[in-house]
Amino acid sequence: EPEVTQTPSHQVTQMGQEVILRCVPISNHLYFYWYRQILGQKVEFLVSFYNNEISEKSEIFDDQFSVERPDGSNFTLKIRSTKLEDSAMYFCASSEALGGGNTEAFFGQGTRLTVV
Amino acid sequence: SQQGEEDPQALSIQEGENATMNCSYKTSINNLQWYRQNSGRGLVHLILIRSNEREKHSGRLRVTLDTSKKSSSLLITASRAADTASYFCATTPQGGSEKLVFGKGTKLTVNP
C-alpha cells in the first residue's frame, strides 16, 4: 500500500543550527502538508503546498521555516535557526485533493526533532 | 474550548468491550476524520465522514456525525489489545481552508 515516508526518524541538533526534514509523499498526490506535535500536545498545522507554492500557512510558520519540492518526489521542511521550542514530532502528509475536497490526508511516521 | 476536543481524555476497557470516543468542534466543517496514533508513532487514517453524512462504518469502526450539535463519535466494537492507542478527530473547516484541526485525543487502553 502506498505510504508517506519521512527521513530521518530522529534528528538531534544544536540550537541555532539549520535542519532539513525530508518527506516522500504518495506518488499520485498533489497536495502536501507539514504538521508538528509538541510532546503531549495537539497536532498543529504548519503549511500546505500545492503546484509548487505555499497555499496556506499557520502563524507558527514564520520566516524561520521554508518548504520546497526540489524534485518530483521529495518535499522538504527547512528550519533555518532552530530554537529549543522547535523540539517536536514533525509530520508530513499528502492528499489527492484539498481537505475541502473531502479526501483523506495520509501521514508519514514523523521525524522527532530534538533541539539541544 | 478549541476546535476538535475529544472526550474522554483517557479510556481503559477490557478486551471484547466496546469503546466510544467523542469529539466536539466549534466551526462549520466540510468533513471530519479520525486518526489513530500508537505511542510516539505516526498518524494512521481511520475514516472520513463528510458533513452531509450521519454515519459511516469501516470494519469494527462506526463513526457518527451530528452537525447540529457539532459533534462526532467513534465506536470501536469488540476491542482488542492491539487497539490500544491515542485516537484523534480532525476537522476541515468550511471556507476554503486546507488545514486539518486536531483535538487533543483520547488515549485508549484495552486490557487483555
Side-chain angles (χ1 to χ4, degrees):
Chain A
E1 186 172 324
E3 59 180 14
V4 176
T5 57
Q6 290 185 243
T7 54
S9 56
H10 192 187
Q11 171 124 24
V12 181
T13 188
Q14 290 212 325
M15 194 167 53
Q17 294 295 305
E18 174 183 287
V19 294
I20 297 176
L21 309 182
R22 301 178 193 280
C23 169
V24 179
I26 295 172
S27 61
N28 64 334
H29 284 186
L30 301 176
Y31 301 87
F32 315 117
Y33 314 87
W34 284 100
Y35 288 79
R36 79 171 185 191
Q37 185 182 32
I38 295 171
L39 189 64
Q41 297 188 24
K42 294 183 181 185
V43 176
E44 302 172 291
F45 170 78
L46 292 178
V47 66
S48 59
F49 191 86
Y50 168 69
N51 201 25
N52 282 321
E53 60 183 25
I54 290 173
S55 48
E56 186 176 357
K57 61 182 181 180
S58 72
E59 57 273 14
I60 302 169
F61 194 88
D62 61 20
D63 292 344
Q64 292 298 312
F65 292 90
S66 62
V67 290
E68 193 178 30
R69 189 154 164 82
D71 53 44
S73 59
N74 290 286
F75 179 51
T76 61
L77 174 69
K78 182 193 291 186
I79 308 175
R80 286 193 186 81
S81 178
T82 50
K83 308 184 193 75
L84 294 176
E85 54 266 36
D86 293 327
S87 295
M89 182 77 96
Y90 287 80
F91 292 107
C92 174
S94 68
S95 65
E96 289 181 331
L98 292 174
N102 285 316
T103 58
E104 298 90 340
F106 293 91
F107 284 74
Q109 288 293 310
T111 293
R112 181 167 297 284
L113 176 66
T114 303
V115 182
V116 296
Chain B
S1 61
Q2 297 179 31
Q3 186 88 338
E5 295 289 336
E6 292 92 337
D7 76 86
Q9 291 187 350
L11 179 63
S12 182
I13 59 174
Q14 294 299 122
E15 213 166 20
E17 293 180 341
N18 295 343
T20 299
M21 290 161 272
N22 302 297
C23 166
S24 61
Y25 56 91
K26 292 290 187 185
T27 63
S28 297
I29 61 171
N30 282 330
N31 64 60
L32 184 146
Q33 304 183 52
W34 282 92
Y35 288 85
R36 164 200 167 118
Q37 183 182 37
N38 286 12
S39 181
R41 305 292 298 278
L43 294 159
V44 176
H45 186 271
L46 296 177
I47 198 164
L48 177 150
I49 186 164
R50 295 175 173 76
S51 59
N52 62 351
E53 297 176 312
R54 293 295 166 257
E55 188 171 311
K56 205 158 180 183
H57 297 254
S58 176
R60 293 184 296 114
L61 305 181
R62 173 177 168 254
V63 168
T64 62
L65 179 64
D66 187 335
T67 52
S68 66
K69 294 181 180 176
K70 291 187 168 59
S71 67
S72 172
S73 67
L74 171 67
L75 168 68
I76 304 175
T77 60
S79 63
R80 305 166 183 165
D83 294 329
T84 294
S86 290
Y87 292 82
F88 297 89
C89 70
T91 54
T92 303
Q94 277 187 2
S97 175
E98 302 149 32
K99 64 186 177 189
L100 287 172
V101 180
F102 282 83
K104 283 189 175 179
T106 293
K107 189 176 172 66
L108 173 68
T109 303
V110 182
N111 301 299

Short mmCIF file of all heavy atoms in Angstrom, two decimals, chain B residues 1-2 11 14 16 23 27-28 30 42 45 58 64 68 74 77 80 90 94 100-101 104 106:
data_model
loop_
_atom_site.label_atom_id
_atom_site.label_comp_id
_atom_site.label_asym_id
_atom_site.label_seq_id
_atom_site.Cartn_x
_atom_site.Cartn_y
_atom_site.Cartn_z
N SER B 1 -13.53 26.08 24.65
CA SER B 1 -12.57 25.07 24.21
C SER B 1 -12.29 25.23 22.73
O SER B 1 -12.99 25.93 22.02
CB SER B 1 -13.10 23.67 24.51
OG SER B 1 -14.29 23.44 23.83
N GLN B 2 -11.26 24.57 22.25
CA GLN B 2 -10.84 24.76 20.87
C GLN B 2 -11.52 23.76 19.96
O GLN B 2 -12.12 22.79 20.40
CB GLN B 2 -9.33 24.60 20.79
CG GLN B 2 -8.59 25.65 21.59
CD GLN B 2 -7.10 25.46 21.51
OE1 GLN B 2 -6.58 24.98 20.50
NE2 GLN B 2 -6.39 25.81 22.55
N LEU B 11 -9.36 6.42 28.36
CA LEU B 11 -10.38 5.39 28.49
C LEU B 11 -9.68 4.05 28.62
O LEU B 11 -8.82 3.72 27.81
CB LEU B 11 -11.26 5.42 27.24
CG LEU B 11 -12.40 4.42 27.14
CD1 LEU B 11 -13.41 4.63 28.25
CD2 LEU B 11 -13.09 4.55 25.78
N GLN B 14 -11.74 -3.48 28.98
CA GLN B 14 -11.28 -4.86 28.82
C GLN B 14 -11.48 -5.29 27.37
O GLN B 14 -12.39 -4.83 26.67
CB GLN B 14 -12.06 -5.78 29.74
CG GLN B 14 -11.82 -5.53 31.23
CD GLN B 14 -10.36 -5.73 31.61
OE1 GLN B 14 -9.71 -4.82 32.12
NE2 GLN B 14 -9.85 -6.93 31.36
N GLY B 16 -12.67 -7.06 24.24
CA GLY B 16 -14.01 -7.54 23.93
C GLY B 16 -15.10 -6.50 24.15
O GLY B 16 -16.17 -6.58 23.56
N CYS B 23 -16.04 13.62 20.04
CA CYS B 23 -15.30 14.77 19.56
C CYS B 23 -16.29 15.91 19.36
O CYS B 23 -17.36 15.70 18.77
CB CYS B 23 -14.61 14.43 18.23
SG CYS B 23 -13.97 15.83 17.30
N THR B 27 -16.56 25.28 14.74
CA THR B 27 -16.96 25.95 13.50
C THR B 27 -17.58 24.96 12.52
O THR B 27 -17.47 23.75 12.69
CB THR B 27 -15.75 26.61 12.83
OG1 THR B 27 -14.81 25.60 12.46
CG2 THR B 27 -15.06 27.58 13.78
N SER B 28 -18.21 25.46 11.50
CA SER B 28 -18.76 24.59 10.45
C SER B 28 -17.63 23.90 9.71
O SER B 28 -16.56 24.47 9.52
CB SER B 28 -19.60 25.43 9.48
OG SER B 28 -20.69 26.00 10.14
N ASN B 30 -16.26 20.92 6.58
CA ASN B 30 -16.50 20.16 5.34
C ASN B 30 -16.50 18.66 5.61
O ASN B 30 -17.27 17.92 5.01
CB ASN B 30 -15.44 20.48 4.29
CG ASN B 30 -15.70 21.82 3.62
OD1 ASN B 30 -16.84 22.25 3.49
ND2 ASN B 30 -14.64 22.47 3.19
N GLY B 42 3.48 7.42 13.97
CA GLY B 42 2.75 8.25 13.02
C GLY B 42 1.25 8.18 13.19
O GLY B 42 0.72 7.42 13.98
N HIS B 45 -4.68 7.01 9.26
CA HIS B 45 -6.04 7.44 8.92
C HIS B 45 -7.01 6.29 9.11
O HIS B 45 -6.77 5.17 8.64
CB HIS B 45 -6.09 7.92 7.47
CG HIS B 45 -7.40 8.51 7.09
ND1 HIS B 45 -8.44 7.76 6.60
CD2 HIS B 45 -7.86 9.78 7.17
CE1 HIS B 45 -9.47 8.54 6.38
NE2 HIS B 45 -9.15 9.77 6.71
N SER B 58 -16.65 1.12 9.06
CA SER B 58 -15.49 0.52 8.42
C SER B 58 -15.00 -0.57 9.35
O SER B 58 -14.39 -0.30 10.38
CB SER B 58 -14.40 1.57 8.19
OG SER B 58 -13.23 0.96 7.66
N THR B 64 -20.21 8.46 13.83
CA THR B 64 -21.40 9.27 13.62
C THR B 64 -21.01 10.74 13.61
O THR B 64 -19.98 11.13 14.17
CB THR B 64 -22.44 9.03 14.73
OG1 THR B 64 -21.87 9.43 15.99
CG2 THR B 64 -22.84 7.57 14.80
N SER B 68 -25.59 19.43 13.76
CA SER B 68 -26.38 20.40 14.55
C SER B 68 -25.79 20.57 15.94
O SER B 68 -25.84 21.65 16.52
CB SER B 68 -27.83 19.94 14.64
OG SER B 68 -27.93 18.75 15.40
N LEU B 74 -16.74 8.07 17.74
CA LEU B 74 -16.07 6.91 17.16
C LEU B 74 -16.32 5.73 18.09
O LEU B 74 -15.99 5.79 19.27
CB LEU B 74 -14.56 7.15 17.03
CG LEU B 74 -13.71 5.94 16.65
CD1 LEU B 74 -14.02 5.49 15.23
CD2 LEU B 74 -12.22 6.26 16.78
N THR B 77 -15.93 -1.55 18.15
CA THR B 77 -16.62 -2.71 18.73
C THR B 77 -15.64 -3.85 18.95
O THR B 77 -14.61 -3.96 18.27
CB THR B 77 -17.76 -3.18 17.84
OG1 THR B 77 -17.21 -3.54 16.56
CG2 THR B 77 -18.80 -2.09 17.64
N ARG B 80 -9.72 -4.98 20.93
CA ARG B 80 -8.59 -5.90 21.10
C ARG B 80 -7.46 -5.14 21.76
O ARG B 80 -7.39 -3.92 21.67
CB ARG B 80 -8.13 -6.42 19.74
CG ARG B 80 -9.22 -7.07 18.92
CD ARG B 80 -8.80 -7.24 17.48
NE ARG B 80 -9.88 -7.79 16.67
CZ ARG B 80 -9.89 -7.78 15.35
NH1 ARG B 80 -8.88 -7.25 14.68
NH2 ARG B 80 -10.91 -8.30 14.68
N ALA B 90 -10.09 15.10 13.56
CA ALA B 90 -9.52 16.25 12.86
C ALA B 90 -10.57 16.77 11.90
O ALA B 90 -11.16 16.00 11.13
CB ALA B 90 -8.25 15.85 12.10
N GLN B 94 -14.98 24.77 7.01
CA GLN B 94 -15.54 25.34 5.78
C GLN B 94 -14.86 26.67 5.47
O GLN B 94 -14.24 27.28 6.32
CB GLN B 94 -17.05 25.59 5.95
CG GLN B 94 -17.89 24.37 5.70
CD GLN B 94 -19.38 24.68 5.71
OE1 GLN B 94 -19.79 25.82 5.85
NE2 GLN B 94 -20.19 23.65 5.56
N LEU B 100 -6.09 20.64 8.57
CA LEU B 100 -6.80 19.79 9.50
C LEU B 100 -6.59 20.37 10.89
O LEU B 100 -5.48 20.70 11.27
CB LEU B 100 -6.26 18.36 9.46
CG LEU B 100 -6.62 17.53 8.24
CD1 LEU B 100 -5.85 16.21 8.26
CD2 LEU B 100 -8.10 17.27 8.17
N VAL B 101 -7.67 20.48 11.65
CA VAL B 101 -7.60 20.96 13.02
C VAL B 101 -7.83 19.77 13.94
O VAL B 101 -8.91 19.18 13.94
CB VAL B 101 -8.65 22.06 13.28
CG1 VAL B 101 -8.55 22.54 14.71
CG2 VAL B 101 -8.46 23.22 12.30
N LYS B 104 -7.11 17.06 21.09
CA LYS B 104 -6.03 16.56 21.95
C LYS B 104 -6.01 15.04 22.01
O LYS B 104 -5.02 14.44 22.42
CB LYS B 104 -6.16 17.11 23.37
CG LYS B 104 -5.72 18.54 23.51
CD LYS B 104 -5.68 18.96 24.97
CE LYS B 104 -5.13 20.36 25.13
NZ LYS B 104 -5.09 20.79 26.54
N THR B 106 -8.01 11.03 22.55
CA THR B 106 -8.40 10.12 23.63
C THR B 106 -7.39 8.99 23.66
O THR B 106 -7.16 8.33 22.64
CB THR B 106 -9.80 9.54 23.41
OG1 THR B 106 -10.76 10.58 23.52
CG2 THR B 106 -10.10 8.46 24.44
#
